[in-house]
Amino acid sequence: TNALSSSESTKNSNVLTPMDTTSEKIIPDNSGQSNGIVSEVVTGEGTTVQTRFRVVDASELIASNTESFAVNTKYPKELQPRKRDRAAGISQVEKILSGLDPERLGESRMASDGAPIIGDDMVVESGNGRTIALKLMYKRGTATEKSRSKYISWLKENAGRFGLLEADIDAVKSPVLVRVRETDVDRAQFAKEANVASVAAMSA
């Protein structure tokens, strides 16, 4: 089973149950892509969740906001993060783009960091800012060619770290490394916990 056993989850973490199953599963098990490795992450509240690395096309990811920073009407309202100042959101995304560091978009024990975490329906549950930045990186073409080349080269060189092949990256037009959540959870609660910055979680 994908979900953590009750003994494991109660021993080291909180428990979130059950998952909202109303969303349509878009990522099929027989997609032809390599079966990425499992990565266990923890939220700011200490909840442990299993995810699996995959590479998907940036255009298919459903983030909380569009590339113009407007609220995305396709994004589930119950997962929509607190409304932030538009300028702050733009500043965050531009900062990620201008100093793109692929290593910060890979593994991380914290759910709030690393590759974006998504559901089977391609909805981003953690990492909306990072996702929007990567979408813009591909959309802006020559303006972000250096960052795009750096990111894709890193993906290919490190594919094995995530249980993937270089061919998996080549097969996608605008590849983005993501972690697909496998543990069944209360989705809204998980999204809330997963977006608590690791620094804030450690402050207590």
Side-chain angles (χ1 to χ4, degrees):
T1 177
N2 289 331
L4 296 176
S5 68
S6 58
S7 60
E8 290 175 328
S9 53
T10 55
K11 181 178 180 181
N12 299 314
S13 63
N14 298 325
V15 180
L16 296 177
T17 57
M19 182 177 69
D20 176 6
T21 57
T22 59
S23 58
E24 180 183 356
K25 185 174 181 179
I26 294 178
I27 302 176
D29 294 331
N30 59 348
S31 62
Q33 189 182 89
S34 302
N35 201 20
I37 64 171
V38 170
S39 173
E40 189 175 81
V41 300
V42 62
T43 71
E45 296 295 326
T47 302
T48 301
V49 171
Q50 284 190 351
T51 66
R52 188 177 295 276
F53 282 107
R54 297 292 297 271
V55 170
V56 299
D57 196 281
S59 64
E60 297 178 346
L61 290 170
I62 303 172
S64 61
N65 295 73
T66 66
E67 290 92 311
S68 63
F69 300 96
V71 173
N72 188 352
T73 57
K74 295 181 180 179
Y75 194 80
K77 291 182 179 180
E78 66 273 17
L79 304 184
Q80 192 68 242
R82 287 182 301 173
K83 188 176 181 180
R84 294 189 304 164
D85 179 73
R86 177 185 170 91
I90 294 174
S91 177
Q92 178 202 19
V93 169
E94 294 295 347
K95 185 177 180 179
I96 294 172
L97 263 179
S98 62
L100 186 72
D101 182 359
E103 285 291 346
R104 299 185 67 177
L105 299 171
E107 306 102 331
S108 176
R109 172 65 173 165
M110 296 302 298
S112 58
D113 303 317
I117 297 175
I118 68 173
D120 283 332
D121 54 359
M122 305 296 278
V123 169
V124 178
E125 298 174 347
S126 179
N128 279 293
R130 283 160 274 160
T131 301
I132 297 168
L134 290 170
K135 280 175 167 283
L136 281 172
M137 179 184 74
Y138 287 114
K139 186 175 182 180
R140 289 179 178 176
T142 55
T144 53
E145 184 176 354
K146 185 176 180 180
S147 292
R148 185 171 66 253
S149 177
K150 180 180 181 181
Y151 180 68
I152 294 176
S153 294
W154 176 82
L155 283 179
K156 290 182 178 181
E157 291 168 4
N158 295 277
R161 284 166 53 182
F162 311 110
L164 302 170
L165 299 172
E166 185 174 331
D168 296 320
I169 289 91
D170 287 332
V172 182
K173 181 179 179 181
S174 304
V176 172
L177 181 70
V178 299
R179 291 171 289 179
V180 183
R181 176 178 50 74
E182 294 198 330
T183 301
D184 290 349
V185 298
D186 178 310
R187 198 177 197 190
Q189 181 62 25
F190 171 69
K192 180 180 179 181
E193 291 187 18
N195 284 283
V196 175
S198 56
V199 174
M202 293 170 63
S203 64

